[in-house]
Amino acid sequence: MCTSEYKNCEYVFNWEIENFSFCWQKKCEEFYSPVFSAESIENTSWRLHLTPKREDGYVSYYLYRLSKETGPPEIEIYCDLIFLNANKSVLREECNFKSICPKGTLFGFHEFIAKNDLILPHDTLTVRCKLRSCEKTTNVVEQFARTVIRVDQKSVDWNISEFRKIKPDEKKSISIKLTSAEDLLSLDLFLSVGEYTEKIVLVSISSSLKSIKFVTVKLLLKDTEGNTVECGQKEFYSSEVKNFKFIPLTFVRNKLLRKTDLYLKDDQLSLCCVCSFTKGIAYHGVERIICGNFPNRDENTTILSDIVTEEKNTGCVKDVKSLYNDLALSDMTLCTETKSYPAHIAILCARSPVFKAMFSSDMKESIRRKVDILDLNDDTVQRMLLYMYTDTLENLQWESALSLYKAADKYNIVSLRNQCVSFIESHLSPINVCEALELADRHQDEDFKSILQNYIVNNQGEVLDLKEWKLFVKSNSELAAESLLKICMED
């Protein structure tokens, strides 16, 4: 390992936790990082401990020295403990405190940060620990670990007929099967009991969970045009399966009855149930290590991000990117079904005429300072935002390019759409050209369609013999005929 070449080192351990809000540990249960070693600090080994969901509303943060290691019985260390969000902004830090650490010692902060202060726009928390045996060091060994909490999602439409006729003691029910292991949720909608004329609409949840550890249920009210608005949410643990959880919806019965044409066409109430859940960890481990002498290192960023920033970002682009990394001045939120992304109206309007029209009118998004983007996934929205702020595309792949093209066309971000087209064109193959052609036709992009049909003309011998083409002919007969006609005309 590279630490053997360096003395007087500061060890920086970065632990990135994706989907942090789905940590299933509760009360005093701890969540552990991968183990990291500090060879030049007496060959000691360490681990970070969190208690993510204590009932008092705080997150605890501790550094733990392993009991079974080769180091001395006691060692004196200096330590910094830091929380960062996905944009590397500091959420909380305790720096340069000194401690005597015997083996098996756990030390840190019982109330490190309030959960309400954990501003995690991408639901990713970076936990950083800086460890050294003296106050000043000349070398740095930086280790990067990542834990990905697997989050699956199931969306089910819940159409409740004869809503006007529901009596206070009557229930409308739906059962949702989350996995093949028969993890079930049962939802019952009913009206509040009492003498009030404004009847509150309630939903109770009971569950039978075997493999699932933690669940979030979000309810969306759908209008006759297909628009949705969140009307209730609840989260709970698998250990609470026997308890009924109640969600009071944000609308009352009389309000819906006053807007029958919008919400109760044919006396049917339409809800969408979005269930997000975790069965545990998808990935957990140390990914890379960087060693060296970095005397001018920025304290709020990792070594690697410093190098990338210096090489790729200059002038105004760097200044605009700083807005993307600094959420303090954000004045708008983009919301997918599972995550929220703070943004700046000025940037959105400058890059997208669709956003500009939206925020220049009295549309609900302008008033609420919130845009619901339920037809795009989290990765696509994050990539779109990064491009709007920085003009960069990172680690683009075929599927992400297709999804990003849809987003760019929806919000009329012309330069982004062109870059996606260029990427797709450079990665065309006889197998995937039909998928791209269907996308171009659906978005009525004639220039893009022409590129793809020319590819089919030039590679007709390979394309027309594949099963992908035969399936394409069955599902897109008119578009296939149009492409074949182009082949005949070229011949």
Side-chain angles (χ1 to χ4, degrees):
M1 185 172 161
C2 62
T3 53
S4 62
E5 301 175 13
Y6 298 102
K7 304 297 181 184
N8 194 22
C9 284
E10 177 182 62
Y11 288 83
V12 182
F13 185 70
N14 301 282
W15 178 29
E16 186 175 272
I17 307 169
E18 296 184 20
N19 299 317
F20 181 78
S21 66
F22 282 84
C23 289
W24 60 90
Q25 298 80 5
K26 60 178 183 177
K27 294 183 180 179
C28 295
E29 296 178 4
E30 293 183 323
F31 191 40
Y32 307 134
S33 76
V35 173
F36 65 100
S37 300
E39 292 187 6
S40 70
I41 307 180
E42 303 288 351
N43 287 313
T44 49
S45 297
W46 309 82
R47 189 171 64 197
L48 305 181
H49 287 205
L50 305 180
T51 52
K53 291 188 176 179
R54 283 177 28 211
E55 291 182 343
D56 62 1
Y58 282 88
V59 177
S60 301
Y61 180 13
Y62 299 101
L63 175 65
Y64 175 70
R65 184 183 173 196
L66 270 61
S67 57
K68 295 181 180 180
E69 45 129 275
T70 59
E74 288 188 350
I75 188 171
E76 181 179 87
I77 57 113
Y78 293 82
C79 186
D80 302 345
L81 298 179
I82 306 167
F83 272 6
L84 309 168
N85 64 22
N87 298 325
K88 299 301 181 283
S89 298
V90 175
L91 299 171
R92 173 82 165 89
E93 60 182 348
E94 287 288 340
C95 297
N96 207 37
F97 64 89
K98 184 170 67 171
S99 180
I100 303 296
C101 299
K103 291 182 179 181
T105 299
L106 187 73
F107 69 97
F109 298 90
H110 186 64
E111 297 179 352
F112 188 73
I113 191 170
K115 285 190 288 188
N116 291 337
D117 294 333
L118 275 178
I119 304 171
L120 302 175
H122 310 310
D123 204 15
T124 297
L125 173 67
T126 297
V127 182
R128 177 176 291 172
C129 172
K130 299 180 180 180
L131 198 61
R132 52 200 173 275
S133 58
C134 57
E135 289 191 77
K136 294 185 178 181
T137 59
T138 56
N139 295 292
V140 174
V141 176
E142 188 157 14
Q143 303 179 50
F144 299 83
R146 187 162 60 99
T147 296
V148 180
I149 298 174
R150 174 177 173 174
V151 177
D152 295 313
Q153 188 176 95
K154 188 164 188 177
S155 179
V156 177
D157 288 332
W158 187 8
N159 296 318
I160 300 165
S161 59
E162 299 184 330
F163 180 77
R164 296 170 183 263
K165 300 179 181 179
I166 297 178
K167 300 177 181 179
D169 58 348
E170 183 180 0
K171 293 182 178 180
K172 297 289 187 177
S173 305
I174 187 174
S175 182
I176 303 174
K177 187 175 182 179
L178 299 182
T179 71
S180 58
E182 296 187 351
D183 293 287
L184 297 176
L185 292 182
S186 297
L187 278 63
D188 296 315
L189 181 142
F190 57 97
L191 303 179
S192 62
V193 179
E195 299 179 357
Y196 301 103
T197 56
E198 294 282 279
K199 295 292 186 182
I200 298 173
V201 184
L202 297 170
V203 171
S204 68
I205 305 174
S206 60
S207 56
S208 174
L209 305 179
K210 295 181 180 179
S211 62
I212 292 173
K213 300 177 182 293
F214 183 77
V215 181
T216 295
V217 177
K218 182 185 295 185
L219 295 176
L220 306 173
L221 174 65
K222 298 172 67 174
D223 63 22
T224 54
E225 297 178 354
N227 300 314
T228 61
V229 59
E230 184 178 336
C231 59
Q233 182 171 322
K234 197 74 176 180
E235 60 182 38
F236 54 94
Y237 302 88
S238 60
S239 59
E240 300 171 335
V241 293
K242 295 182 180 179
N243 299 330
F244 283 85
K245 299 296 176 183
F246 291 95
I247 305 178
L249 303 189
T250 57
F251 54 83
V252 294
R253 181 173 179 269
N254 286 356
K255 179 181 177 181
L256 294 179
L257 295 179
R258 289 193 295 267
K259 297 184 177 181
T260 301
D261 293 340
L262 184 60
Y263 292 114
L264 293 175
K265 184 179 180 181
D266 300 326
D267 200 20
Q268 176 176 281
L269 176 68
S270 296
L271 299 174
C272 179
C273 308
V274 181
C275 305
S276 303
F277 54 92
T278 180
K279 296 192 289 184
I281 292 174
Y283 175 82
H284 183 71
V286 177
E287 295 186 313
R288 67 185 187 277
I289 299 173
I290 300 174
C291 312
N293 186 340
F294 302 94
N296 297 319
R297 186 167 168 268
D298 184 345
E299 291 298 326
N300 291 333
T301 54
T302 63
I303 296 168
L304 188 61
S305 63
D306 284 343
I307 295 170
V308 172
T309 300
E310 287 299 322
E311 288 180 350
K312 291 189 176 181
N313 297 288
T314 59
C316 63
V317 173
K318 183 176 180 180
D319 293 336
V320 174
K321 186 173 183 179
S322 69
L323 287 177
Y324 178 76
N325 293 329
D326 184 3
L327 306 177
L329 299 178
S330 62
D331 51 4
M332 176 59 62
T333 304
L334 307 185
C335 300
T336 66
E337 287 189 339
T338 57
K339 294 185 180 181
S340 299
Y341 299 89
H344 302 82
I345 291 177
I347 300 297
L348 300 182
C349 292
R351 302 307 301 267
S352 164
V354 175
F355 280 124
K356 185 176 181 180
M358 187 184 298
F359 300 138
S360 301
S361 65
D362 292 328
M363 294 177 68
K364 62 180 182 180
E365 290 84 359
S366 178
I367 298 170
R368 294 165 56 218
R369 298 284 170 139
K370 177 183 175 183
V371 179
D372 293 321
I373 308 178
L374 305 182
D375 57 340
L376 299 176
N377 60 37
D378 297 330
D379 179 71
T380 301
V381 172
Q382 190 170 345
R383 288 177 183 275
M384 180 179 73
L385 271 176
L386 180 64
Y387 181 84
M388 294 173 80
Y389 279 81
T390 68
D391 270 339
T392 58
L393 296 173
E394 296 181 351
N395 301 319
L396 200 60
Q397 303 295 324
W398 177 262
E399 291 298 332
S400 57
L402 296 180
S403 298
L404 200 54
Y405 172 88
K406 298 175 190 176
D409 188 64
K410 176 180 179 179
Y411 294 105
N412 198 16
I413 310 172
V414 177
S415 60
L416 176 58
R417 186 174 60 200
N418 291 341
Q419 288 213 36
C420 291
V421 170
S422 296
F423 178 91
I424 294 169
E425 182 182 4
S426 65
H427 290 77
L428 284 175
S429 72
I431 293 176
N432 64 28
V433 66
C434 293
E435 182 182 18
L437 181 56
E438 185 179 0
L439 175 68
D441 183 68
R442 189 162 60 246
H443 288 265
Q444 300 179 347
D445 190 336
E446 295 301 320
D447 291 335
F448 189 18
K449 251 175 73 173
S450 180
I451 291 172
L452 300 168
Q453 288 177 329
N454 286 336
Y455 179 90
I456 294 174
V457 169
N458 296 330
N459 298 273
Q460 55 184 283
E462 297 175 75
V463 174
L464 302 186
D465 286 337
L466 292 174
K467 64 178 182 180
E468 283 78 8
W469 173 259
K470 294 177 174 61
L471 292 172
F472 179 73
V473 171
K474 290 182 179 180
S475 59
N476 298 274
S477 56
E478 291 185 8
L479 184 56
E482 178 184 327
S483 301
L484 290 172
L485 177 60
K486 188 163 187 174
I487 291 175
C488 295
M489 292 176 65
E490 290 291 331
D491 291 341

